[in-house]
């Protein structure tokens, strides 16, 4: 511990006299770190009178800094009790900067001290003016890590709350005075959070989700209350008692991980759903209470969450709840199943089979479906809303599709005429049905319950002159409107922009004069959304390999990229449909995607585009990116840099840069692609205006072997730029992506050998990636196994990286089990041929793992049984040993019984022996055993001339009958 010198009274007085000016105070208190000054300064009342907000006659306001707080932060860990007492004794102030300083101190202190400042921080959350609001998420994260969950819960409850729409009274009056539905435009209520999108996103991802991991039921209830309040604030009073919340429109998916999640309302719902899932995973005793709490809510959204949970967890506890929902549903013949409801039915039918519903109950439901939909309702919809004439043929087509959609969730339990009808519809419609075919639909291309309408028809827009069309898209800005109770129809700019894109592609681009007008007058387009649609139209043409106007498209994209991506005075995530404070993010992203399409193998633009493509990629890869350079997230899970990398414009452009290399080598094989190295050297340079971010490092790590193939010497020379070992977070982002996204390559291993060693020392830093099903640690273990097969190091000993992996994961057996399964999958995919030396190494590895006697790992030998490259005799012998270690407690019966049956003809004795051992471990009748495979084994065993084989078969029969498997009664021995 550092030794601090105690200041003399003379030194203290001299220092205080010399810092009476503001600049001196800042320098003194920010640099002072000696805790021995604390008491003398406190005795002189240096920490008693924080400055208040200064308001001037011209309306301007200043929030003065109080640099004394910086000193308190500097010494708070040395003198925690004294600092806390000083802070708690500070008077309340209207100056938010003071509370920002208190937040900094709370973040610096250990948890048990930090929470003593809770009341001050809660007072800050009540203030109208707040500055460093992003620090609230950091504080939640800090308290949770320090196990101060009660304090975190109390703070979270305040942070996630919504406030009424500031124009709610005005909109209420407008509704009261409305004469018809046309007067209701602009009356939708939008409750507000005190925090912007990104802060709220951080609160959820850094605070609420980790808190849900620790106390799932408590957090789920908190989020249920917050959600119910938010929906109440969204809903006009005439709908309070109906339960209609229109959540289908503003939150079509309960769980979603893409850019839409930055919407605050969706973020709340997605996090609530996540917390409910955690209750099912971690607090089984609280599941019934959670279900009751969800049932007690009035809003439709909470039924959707219940359906989602039932679909995800069909079991004996949820079975009756699922039956209740299925049998009381009243819309089978009226309207299409909702997204979560049909998931629940489908998953339950597949899980419970015929035991979910009685034959009578199922028949009633299926007959109701076949009686629908109502012809009169269809006629009303077609004539009133579609503006078309009703036809019997159209109704029959609608009826057939309705039956197809409605029957699909029951597919696994259909019988008789219902099954025949469904199969006929399957053949008629060809394309299989997916969950996305059920309302609410996420995309505007779908027609149905949630649709977007342009204010003018395509015919009307097509007949406008270019000037008229330009003026129309610039001026039209009517608010969204909703029609009917159960059908959501929106009239908005986004739908108008879609119609504009179609007209631009199909009409304008084919007319040189009209196209010239729009290229010449592009600066006159006031809303970037229409520019984005023009880029989409250009992309569509390029996909059709129409390259005649390619130079024009490149010039247009260069103009788009000349508009910087920067913050605005208003809410940055306002979209690109506004004329003021224009947001060019989406248009820039569209330009980047257009370049990416040009480089795909299916499109493969001519080599003459090389120079222009390189210039555009240079702009995309080196210019400012609002999300990346402010460490903001494009999605809910900001902890996954690889996902962030493919969802931000500049980092996504790096992927296109590497595709540029592939594209160029398709035209000029073996070239070194100097454009790539030139742009990367700009990004690596210490003089680069925008340093590389974690998502960019993730992309660089992913494509490191590709760059090696472009230019080996350069890639080796710049290895530390890709994997900077002196910057740990950046190194983890790059190396984990490299491991996840690349196979085994000996030259790369030799270059990155020291990085592999470092990875073994930091396995806990490799986090799960949502976009990739396997955990990086598991994949890393499989990669090391493969390198072991290639002879890069021995199986065991100080030089074995594989043994080091297993030593470092001793406390996480799930990783070792996953690696064992992945190896089995790889052996299966190898086919029949495997190098004899490698085969010997595989067997040595298995022998080593068998000695560890870990059932959770060895149970996955059932996967190895399918590997054709391993001898059948060896597999059976090894499997018998595995069963002994696992004591019969092996799952995946369908897999190993099927494989055992295939081995039966030539290896009867060993197969029957293994099966007998397996039945020794059957504890009760709850384990499903495929009867056909089991009976095949038993019959073969009973018919054997080998008495030992017959005894094993009889033993298996007795075991099965003791476990109440009555389907095997036919094998009872007759005395």
């Amino acid at each position: 511990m550092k030794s601090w010198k105690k200041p003399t009274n003379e030194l203290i007085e001299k220092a205080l006299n010399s810092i009476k000016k503001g600049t001196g105070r800042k320098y003194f208190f920010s640099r002072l770190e000696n805790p021995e000054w604390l008491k003398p300064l406190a005795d002189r009342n240096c920490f008693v009178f924080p400055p208040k907000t200064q308001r001037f006659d011209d309306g301007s306001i200043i929030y003065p800094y109080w640099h004394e707080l910086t000193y308190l932060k500097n010494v708070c860990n040395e003198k925690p009790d004294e600092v806390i007492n000083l802070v708690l004794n500070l008077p309340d102030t209207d100056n938010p900067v003071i509370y920002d300083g208190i937040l900094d101190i709370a973040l610096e202190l250990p948890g048990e001290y930090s929470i003593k400042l809770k009341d001050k921080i809660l007072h800050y959350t009540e203030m109208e003016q707040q500055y460093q609001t992003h620090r609230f998420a950091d504080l939640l994260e800090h308290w949770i890590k320090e196990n101060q969950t009660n304090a975190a819960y109390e703070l979270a409850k305040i942070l996630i709350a919504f406030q009424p729409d500031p124009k709610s009274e005005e909109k209420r009056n407008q509704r009261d005075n409305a004469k018809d539905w046309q007067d209701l435009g602009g009356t939708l209520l939008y409750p507000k959070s005190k925090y912007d999108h990104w802060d709220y996103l951080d609160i959820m991802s850094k605070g609420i989700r980790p808190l849900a991991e620790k106390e799932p039921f408590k957090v789920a209830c908190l989020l249920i209350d917050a959600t119910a309040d938010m929906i109440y604030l969204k809903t006009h009073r005439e709908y309070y008692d109906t339960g209609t919340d229109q959540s289908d429109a503003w939150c079509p998916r309960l769980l979603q991980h893409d850019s839409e999640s930055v919407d605050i309302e969706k973020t709340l719902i997605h996090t609530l759903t996540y917390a409910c899932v955690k209750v099912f995973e971690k607090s089984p005793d609280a599941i019934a209470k959670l279900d009751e709490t969800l049932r007690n809510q009035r809003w439709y959204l909470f039924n959707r969450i219940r359906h989602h949970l039932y679909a995800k967890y069909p079991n004996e506890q949820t079975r009756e709840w699922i039956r209740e929902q299925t049998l009381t549903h009243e819309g089978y013949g009226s309207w299409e199943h909702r997204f979560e409801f049909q998931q629940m039915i489908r998953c339950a039918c597949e899980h419970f089979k015929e035991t979910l519903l009685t034959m009578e109950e199922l028949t009633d439901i299926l007959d109701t479906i076949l009686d629908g939909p109502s012809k009169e309702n269809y006629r009303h919809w077609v004539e009133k809303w579609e503006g078309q004439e009703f036809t019997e043929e159209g109704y029959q087509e609608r009826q057939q599709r309705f039956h197809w959609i409605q029957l699909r969730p029951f597919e696994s339990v259909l019988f008789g005429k219902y099954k025949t009808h469904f199969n006929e519809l399957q053949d008629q419609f060809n394309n299989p049905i997916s969950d996305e075919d059920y309302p609410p639909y996420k995309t505007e291309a779908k027609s149905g319950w949630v649709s977007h309408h342009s204010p003018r028809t395509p015919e009307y827009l097509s007949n406008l002159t270019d000037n008229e069309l330009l003026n129309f898209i610039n001026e039209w800005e009517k608010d969204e409107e909703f029609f009917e109770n159960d059908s959501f129809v929106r009239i908005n700019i986004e739908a108008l922009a879609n119609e504009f894109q179609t007209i631009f592609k199909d009409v304008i681009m084919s007319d040189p004069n009209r196209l010239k007008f729009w290229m010449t007058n592009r600066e006159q387009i006031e809303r970037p959304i229409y520019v984005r649609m023009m880029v989409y139209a250009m992309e569509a043409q390029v996909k059709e390999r129409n390259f005649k106007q390619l130079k024009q498209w490149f010039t247009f994209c260069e103009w788009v990229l000349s508009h910087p991506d920067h913050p605005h005075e208003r809410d940055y995530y306002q979209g690109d449909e506004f004329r003021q404070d224009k947001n060019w993010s989406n248009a820039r992203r569209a330009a980047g995607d257009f370049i990416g399409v040009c480089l795909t193998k299916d499109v493969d633009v001519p080599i003459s585009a090389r120079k222009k493509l390189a210039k555009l990629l240079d702009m995309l890869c080196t210019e400012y990116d609002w999300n990346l350079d402010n460490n903001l997230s494009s999605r809910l899970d900001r902890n996954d840099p690889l996902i962030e990398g493919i969802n931000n414009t500049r980092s996504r452009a790096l992927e296109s840069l590497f595709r540029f290399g592939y594209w160029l080598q398709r035209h000029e094989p073996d070239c070194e692609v100097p454009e790539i190295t030139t742009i990367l050297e700009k990004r690596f340079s210490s003089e680069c205006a925008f340093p590389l971010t974690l998502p960019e490092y993730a992309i660089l790590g992913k494509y490191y072997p590709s760059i090696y193939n472009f230019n080996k010497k350069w890639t080796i020379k710049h290895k530390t730029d890709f994997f900077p070992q002196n910057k740990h977070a950046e190194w983890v982002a790059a190396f984990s992506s490299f491991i996840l996204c690349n196979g085994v390559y000996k030259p790369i291993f030799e270059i990155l050998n020291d990085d592999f060693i470092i990875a073994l020392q930091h396995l806990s830093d490799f986090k799960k990636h949502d976009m990739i099903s396997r955990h990086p640690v598991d994949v890393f273990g499989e990669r090391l196994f493969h390198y072991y097969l290639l002879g890069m190091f021995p199986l065991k000993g100080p030089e074995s990286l594989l043994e080091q992996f297993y030593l470092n994961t001793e406390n996480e057996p799930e990783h070792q089990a996953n690696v064992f399964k992945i190896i089995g999958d790889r052996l299966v995919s190898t086919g029949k041929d495997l190098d004899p030396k490698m085969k010997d190494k595989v067997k040595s590895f298995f022998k080593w793992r068998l000695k560890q006697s870990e059932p959770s790992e060895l149970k996955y030998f059932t996967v190895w049984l399918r590997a054709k490259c391993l001898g059948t005799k060896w597999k059976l012998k090894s499997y018998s040993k595995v069963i002994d270690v696992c004591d019969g407690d092996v799952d995946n019966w369908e897999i190993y019984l099927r494989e055992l049956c295939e081995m039966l003809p030539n290896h009867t004795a060993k197969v029957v022996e293994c099966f007998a051992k397996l039945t020794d471990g059957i504890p009760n009748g709850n384990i499903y055993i495929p009867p056909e495979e089991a009976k095949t084994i038993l019959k073969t065993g009973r018919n054997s001339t080998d008495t030992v084989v017959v005894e094993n078969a009889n033993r298996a029969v007795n075991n099965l009958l003791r476990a109440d498997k009555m389907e095997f009664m036919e094998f009872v021995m007759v005395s």
Side-chain angles (χ1 to χ4, degrees), residues 655-672:
E655 280 203 312
S656 294
L657 180 64
F658 304 128
R659 292 196 184 102
F660 175 82
Y662 305 143
W663 167 78
L664 192 56
Q665 287 194 342
R666 286 197 295 272
H667 292 279
E668 298 180 6
D670 301 325
C671 66
E672 291 190 340

Side-chain angles (χ1 to χ4, degrees), residues 231 242-249 251 254 294 297-307 325 329 335-341 439-440 486 488:
I231 298 176
T242 67
T244 302
D245 56 25
Q246 297 183 342
S247 60
D248 277 355
C251 188
L254 299 175
L294 290 170
Q297 307 305 312
R298 72 170 70 184
W299 304 112
Y300 165 62
L301 173 80
F302 297 103
N303 278 337
R304 293 175 59 195
I305 293 176
R306 287 170 59 213
H307 296 159
Q325 291 294 297
H329 181 65
W335 57 80
E336 293 177 4
H337 305 309
R338 317 304 284 181
F339 181 84
E340 294 85 15
F341 183 74
D486 213 11
F488 302 100

